Amino acid sequence: MQNQLDSSTQASAVRAPQIRLDSVGKSYGGTSVLRDVSLTVEPGEIHGLLGENGAGKSTLLKILGGAIASDAGTVSFNGTPARIGAPRDAIDLGVSLIAQELALVPARSVLENVFLGRWSNTAGFVRSRKDRAQLAALIEESGFDLDLDAPVSSLSLGQAQQVEILKALARGSKVICFDEPTAALGEADTENLLALIRTLAAGGTTIIIVSHFLDEILGIADRITVLRDGNQIITDDAAGYDTEKLVGLMVGRQVEALARTPKPVESGAPVLLSVQGLGNSKISNISLEVRRGEVLGLVGLMGSGRSETLNAIFGGDRISVGEVSVGGQKVRRNSVRAAIRSGIALVPESRKDQGLVLGRSAADNIALPSLHSRQLAGFIRMGTERAVVDEAAERVDIRGRVRQVEVGALSGGNQQKALFAKWLVEPPTVFLIDEPTRGVDIAAKANIHKLILELAERGAAVVVASSELEEVLSLSHRLAVMRQGSIVAEFDRSASPDEIMAAAFL
Ligand SMILES: Nc1ncnc2c1ncn2[C@@H]1O[C@H](COP(=O)(O)OP(=O)(O)OP(=O)(O)O)[C@@H](O)[C@H]1O
Ligand SMILES: [Mg+2]
């Protein structure tokens, strides 16, 4: 696939523009979230954008992509100041933004999604042969494994992202902004994406990329910018920086080491969660036991059934066989309510669809699950309410003002923290956690790991599913490896990553 992208699809396109930001800023309701950002990105450059959750990274990309308008400073293309008031303006300037949440229409095909809004007839029934041919060529050149006519709903996350990239390429974009593109990808998809980004850049496309995986940025970026609390800390060549140095710049303080190990499970600790022979259309014969104070890690490739297992234990996905017990008591089947009543909590993978009420503040979301216990004859005691929420927010490091912001407007990482905080108010007996630190910055990640281990130490039985093997390995007492809907191997924490990966792939 190397460099063909350049010759065939972009031959007639212009060179990527030089982009210059001068004192760019943005405020919301009087609160400034981005201040005085000035930098230049040269054609074909890969520019890494780094910072803690809420630092302003997505805000900066959204300004370039026309999703929001800046309210200070100027953005110039090849020296000419541009007005980017809407996505259309950005597209006309050759800029595409691939956002944290993908913007595809699930029921429509790959082809339709790529050309959506570009076909002149209303329903898009008449697909011009040219579009088809162009897209087929693009897919071929980028080495994607995609069927033009497959509905987007049938695609994996990695493939859906490929569709977004195709959309950008088909428009002839010369600047592509990626907002945490690898946050939800498995290892293989991540490698493929990074390779494609390199190829695109080699062909002259400018890339601006946000990621919390610092190694990833160090491995791919020519230059980097670090933001902290809306301020530009540095913009510099990437060479000469390492993870530690970057973290220091991002956080501006010492960070606790990531590797905290779980305390040994007390001998004689009772089994709190027992799952016997659970099965449905996606998983089969899942059996596991987790003791008080124990953390069990669930690992496996994308689609191996990790999330499905957690959802089935929680009663959210229907099961046809098997049973779940908490503390020796059977939990009524297929009832989330019964699961919660028996002390099971789930922090789901998808905060948008499952975990949070987006129209309410972070504080409200945190208060929600435990509300009943603070109601006295229908009244909520406001003082207790605030104290309880503040304590939980404090523990996940959701800072002051952010607590009152609608969750839908929070940065991705702060949403994840809110999701977590709501279960700290009244710790559950059994804690199921799916991808605990997706989109969370490196300092917050260390903090969430600490909280998970504390929950276990306070007596919970914990099951953590994650696509980051390193994460599960450092957190768990034991690991269960899943493949095609079944548990295929178990390891203790002394196992090597290679052994575990072998079991997951075989
Ligand atoms: N519509 C809005 N109203 C109020 N505040 C907002 C709005 N959109 C964003 N913010 C705030 O702006 C700040 C920067 O958010 P941004 O999404 O740019 O962070 P980020 O660096 O991308 O973080 P993350 O790594 O968590 O994705 C955050 O404090 C966020 O809460
Ligand atoms: Mg963001």
Side-chain angles (χ1 to χ4, degrees):
M1 74 185 202
Q2 255 53 23
N3 291 333
Q4 288 173 25
L5 283 170
D6 195 36
S7 52
S8 62
T9 52
Q10 301 173 354
S12 60
V14 284
R15 229 166 95 83
Q18 184 208 52
I19 302 174
R20 205 174 118 181
L21 278 64
D22 279 301
S23 303
V24 167
K26 175 76 188 169
S27 305
Y28 286 105
T31 309
S32 142
V33 300
L34 203 61
R35 273 176 301 284
D36 213 11
V37 175
S38 301
L39 58 99
T40 305
V41 184
E42 298 296 340
E45 172 176 331
I46 302 181
H47 197 98
L49 193 52
L50 303 165
E52 281 188 285
N53 294 133
K57 306 178 296 295
S58 296
T59 303
L60 189 58
L61 290 194
K62 283 178 191 163
I63 289 171
L64 285 172
I68 57 173
S70 62
D71 45 29
T74 48
V75 181
S76 312
F77 286 73
N78 289 332
T80 312
R83 214 193 71 80
I84 321 177
R88 188 71 255 168
D89 300 334
I91 291 167
D92 290 344
L93 289 161
V95 180
S96 281
L97 167 62
I98 301 185
Q100 252 169 310
E101 318 285 339
L102 301 182
L104 299 170
V105 184
R108 297 296 190 86
S109 70
V110 170
L111 179 69
E112 286 169 321
N113 267 281
V114 169
F115 293 102
L116 215 63
R118 310 228 338 252
W119 281 323
S120 42
N121 69 322
T122 45
F125 278 122
V126 185
R127 291 163 199 170
S128 93
R129 220 174 263 191
K130 230 178 95 216
D131 286 345
R132 244 193 125 76
Q134 186 200 352
L135 185 57
L138 271 177
I139 291 180
E140 166 90 34
E141 287 155 16
S142 26
F144 292 160
D145 179 22
L146 275 179
D147 172 1
L148 283 188
D149 298 307
V152 161
S153 57
S154 72
L155 304 180
S156 72
L157 207 61
Q159 289 174 315
Q161 202 162 49
Q162 295 176 346
V163 177
E164 287 276 17
I165 296 169
L166 289 169
K167 217 160 113 182
L169 294 177
R171 284 170 180 159
S173 295
K174 297 299 290 176
V175 179
I176 306 183
C177 304
F178 288 94
D179 200 349
E180 297 192 38
T182 62
L185 294 187
E187 223 155 305
D189 282 339
T190 298
E191 283 312 311
N192 289 339
L193 179 68
L194 295 178
L196 176 69
I197 287 178
R198 282 197 191 93
T199 307
L200 288 169
T205 302
T206 302
I207 306 284
I208 305 178
I209 177 172
V210 171
S211 174
H212 287 297
F213 299 111
L214 305 182
D215 290 339
E216 204 170 280
I217 295 290
L218 287 171
I220 199 174
D222 302 308
R223 287 161 54 78
I224 48 170
T225 290
V226 175
L227 298 176
R228 188 199 309 153
D229 290 333
N231 296 309
Q232 180 179 10
I233 304 299
I234 54 137
T235 294
D236 201 354
D237 289 342
Y241 288 87
D242 57 19
T243 319
E244 211 175 321
K245 209 159 158 188
L246 287 178
V247 173
L249 293 169
M250 284 166 55
V251 184
R253 58 187 147 85
Q254 281 305 105
V255 182
E256 240 178 286
L258 244 187
R260 246 195 66 149
T261 47
K263 284 212 179 105
V265 179
E266 278 171 35
S267 62
V271 170
L272 287 188
L273 173 69
S274 165
V275 173
Q276 299 301 329
L278 223 54
N280 60 24
S281 61
K282 296 178 200 137
I283 52 174
S284 60
N285 199 22
I286 301 289
S287 297
L288 47 91
E289 288 192 337
V290 188
R291 296 197 287 157
R292 190 176 70 203
E294 189 176 30
V295 182
L296 173 72
L298 266 191
V299 297
L301 302 177
M302 194 77 58
S304 58
R306 294 170 312 203
S307 302
E308 288 75 8
T309 298
L310 296 185
N311 289 333
I313 297 174
F314 192 56
D317 278 2
R318 295 191 71 79
I319 54 165
S320 38
V321 289
E323 65 188 36
V324 174
S325 315
V326 173
Q329 301 284 321
K330 261 189 220 171
V331 182
R332 185 153 58 85
R333 252 198 206 179
N334 300 325
S335 162
V336 168
R337 199 189 280 201
I340 292 175
R341 214 176 297 128
S342 349
I344 305 182
L346 171 70
V347 175
E349 181 178 23
S350 162
R351 35 192 186 242
K352 275 243 156 91
D353 325 330
Q354 300 170 288
L356 294 166
V357 186
L358 298 178
R360 302 282 292 271
S361 70
D364 285 352
N365 269 278
I366 293 170
L368 230 46
S370 53
L371 201 55
H372 60 94
S373 66
R374 289 190 304 283
Q375 276 175 336
L376 243 162
F379 292 102
I380 304 168
R381 287 166 296 164
M382 289 310 289
T384 335
E385 185 76 359
R386 188 148 326 126
V388 158
V389 167
D390 281 348
E391 201 217 317
E394 206 70 55
R395 290 186 60 196
V396 295
D397 195 21
I398 296 181
R399 294 167 205 171
R401 179 190 74 86
V402 175
R403 293 175 199 172
Q404 302 314 323
V405 175
E406 268 185 26
V407 163
L410 286 183
S411 75
N414 277 326
Q415 288 186 0
Q416 184 70 359
K417 292 182 194 175
L419 195 51
F420 209 87
K422 64 180 204 169
W423 295 111
L424 294 178
V425 177
E426 271 177 18
T429 314
V430 172
F431 202 41
L432 311 174
I433 318 168
D434 203 357
E435 300 289 354
T437 58
R438 177 174 293 170
V440 160
D441 70 56
I442 196 160
K445 189 169 180 168
N447 190 42
I448 286 183
H449 285 180
K450 189 173 113 213
L451 288 168
I452 292 174
L453 293 178
E454 275 173 18
L455 277 166
E457 281 156 24
R458 283 163 67 186
V462 180
V463 185
V464 184
S466 170
S467 47
E468 265 184 75
L469 184 54
E470 227 179 292
E471 164 157 85
V472 221
L473 253 180
S474 81
L475 275 177
S476 312
H477 294 93
R478 275 187 304 130
L479 291 153
V481 180
M482 296 200 63
R483 199 169 66 226
Q484 294 176 336
S486 300
I487 293 178
V488 292
E490 274 209 37
F491 295 97
D492 66 28
R493 54 176 292 109
S494 63
S496 76
D498 288 348
E499 272 178 279
I500 299 166
M501 285 317 281
F505 270 110
L506 218 74

